[in-house]
Every structure is written in C-alpha cells, then in structure tokens.
Amino acid sequence: MSDYSIALRYAKAIVEATKEQKAIEALTSDFGKLAPLLQPDHPVADMIANPMLSPEKKIAVLSKAVPGLSEVTLQALNLLAKHKREPFLAAIITRALELIDETNGIIRAETTTAIPLSQEQATRLKKHLSEKTGKTVILVPRIDPSIKGGLVVRIHDTVYDSSLKNQLEVIKTKLLN
C-alpha cells in the first residue's frame, strides 16, 4: 500500500471519528499547530522519523511540543502510535486537513512566484480560482526565484505552470526538435 493510501485511510478514519464526537474544530486547530513541526528538516520531524524511539515517546514529545492538545487529537495520536503509523503523521495530518477543508467547501492552492504577489494580484487570483473550482480558495504562497517570473499554481495534484522558466523550456524543446 502506498504512503498516500495509508495516510488517506487513517485521515478519513480520524476525521469521521472526530465528526461523530463533534470535535472537528479542536482537531483542525491541533493539526494546524502540529503540521509545521512535521515539515522536513524540522527537529521534531527528524525525531518522529527516528526508528530508535518508541512510538509512545514520539507522541509524548509531540504533546510536549504543542501543549494543550485536545482529547480527540491525543486519541488520534495514540491510535497512530498503537499501529506504528507515526512515520506517516505529516501526510496523515495533511490529508485530514484537506478532508476537513473539502467538507467545508475550501480548497488550498499553493502558489509559487519569483516575487510575492501584491494584495490586488492575490485577490484577483483567489477570485479566478474560486470561479474555476466553485470553492472558497485559500492561497498558500511560496517564493522561488528560480522560476524567473510568472506563476505556478498547484491544487492537489493539478499544476498550472505559467512560469517564465517553463515557457523557456517549451521554446527550447521546440527549437531542438
């Protein structure tokens, strides 16, 4: 089973159980606090990936790193520890937040630009993407000077690439063929 499938399976189970307990806001808040700690090269993420630490110790460290986690979040973390799925925690949290957003009619669009978008540009882009998707759009901006100009938008696994770097690659390919 792929990492994505594992993450999605657990995320669905956690979100459904949380909905039944009417604690989705608490889970969303807690997962929002945990997600940055699980980004690559973060010390907490490195610790979670360490196979020498027991799953219980990993969950204890997460609880200490984010004090005041709700009971529903602690139950979810303990479930993952019991099934030795803590290496998938970052992906599970990402999938769970996506499922919650989907339920609420929200979609996150990762935007990559060479320089930050102005407020007006961001507003126009959100409006355009909302019209295309029929959902409320939250922009997740990233800056990458290597794209040279233009914009790359990623929504789930769909990428719209109008970057200058991509356009130059297309021209290069056409000229070489």
Side-chain angles (χ1 to χ4, degrees), residues 35-101:
L37 302 177
L38 299 171
Q39 296 304 310
D41 297 327
H42 192 284
V44 173
D46 292 343
M47 185 272 317
I48 294 291
N50 184 344
M52 301 301 285
L53 290 177
S54 72
E56 293 77 19
K57 284 189 179 188
K58 293 176 183 181
I59 300 307
V61 169
L62 286 173
S63 296
K64 197 174 231 182
V66 182
L69 291 175
S70 67
E71 185 61 34
V72 71
T73 302
L74 292 172
Q75 289 172 355
L77 293 175
N78 286 322
L79 170 79
L80 296 172
K82 178 181 172 187
H83 293 281
K84 297 187 182 353
R85 296 300 193 203
E86 70 283 352
F88 303 100
L89 185 56
I92 291 168
I93 287 174
T94 299
R95 298 297 156 262
L97 291 172
E98 287 173 356
L99 291 170
I100 293 166
D101 283 349

Side-chain angles (χ1 to χ4, degrees), residues 2-158:
S2 74
D3 291 359
Y4 180 84
S5 298
I6 292 169
L8 187 58
R9 172 181 278 173
Y10 279 90
K12 282 181 179 178
I14 290 168
V15 169
E16 287 304 314
T18 304
K19 282 180 184 176
E20 289 174 10
Q21 295 178 20
K22 299 185 185 333
I24 204 75
E25 293 83 17
L27 182 76
T28 303
S29 173
D30 290 346
F31 275 8
K33 294 173 189 169
L34 287 169
L37 302 177
L38 299 171
Q39 296 304 310
D41 297 327
H42 192 284
V44 173
D46 292 343
M47 185 272 317
I48 294 291
N50 184 344
M52 301 301 285
L53 290 177
S54 72
E56 293 77 19
K57 284 189 179 188
K58 293 176 183 181
I59 300 307
V61 169
L62 286 173
S63 296
K64 197 174 231 182
V66 182
L69 291 175
S70 67
E71 185 61 34
V72 71
T73 302
L74 292 172
Q75 289 172 355
L77 293 175
N78 286 322
L79 170 79
L80 296 172
K82 178 181 172 187
H83 293 281
K84 297 187 182 353
R85 296 300 193 203
E86 70 283 352
F88 303 100
L89 185 56
I92 291 168
I93 287 174
T94 299
R95 298 297 156 262
L97 291 172
E98 287 173 356
L99 291 170
I100 293 166
D101 283 349
E102 187 177 304
T103 300
N104 295 326
I106 297 170
I107 193 163
R108 295 182 189 273
E110 183 179 293
T111 60
T112 305
T113 55
I115 59 172
L117 292 173
S118 70
Q119 186 64 36
E120 180 186 338
Q121 290 169 324
T123 302
R124 283 195 333 243
L125 180 60
K126 281 172 64 169
K127 182 180 179 201
H128 178 73
L129 292 173
S130 290
E131 289 170 358
K132 279 218 171 281
T133 62
K135 297 183 184 235
T136 302
V137 174
I138 296 175
L139 297 181
V140 181
R142 297 181 70 207
I143 306 301
D144 181 1
S146 73
I147 70 167
K148 307 210 185 310
L151 173 71
V152 178
V153 177
R154 176 186 296 270
I155 300 174
H156 296 298
D157 57 355
T158 303

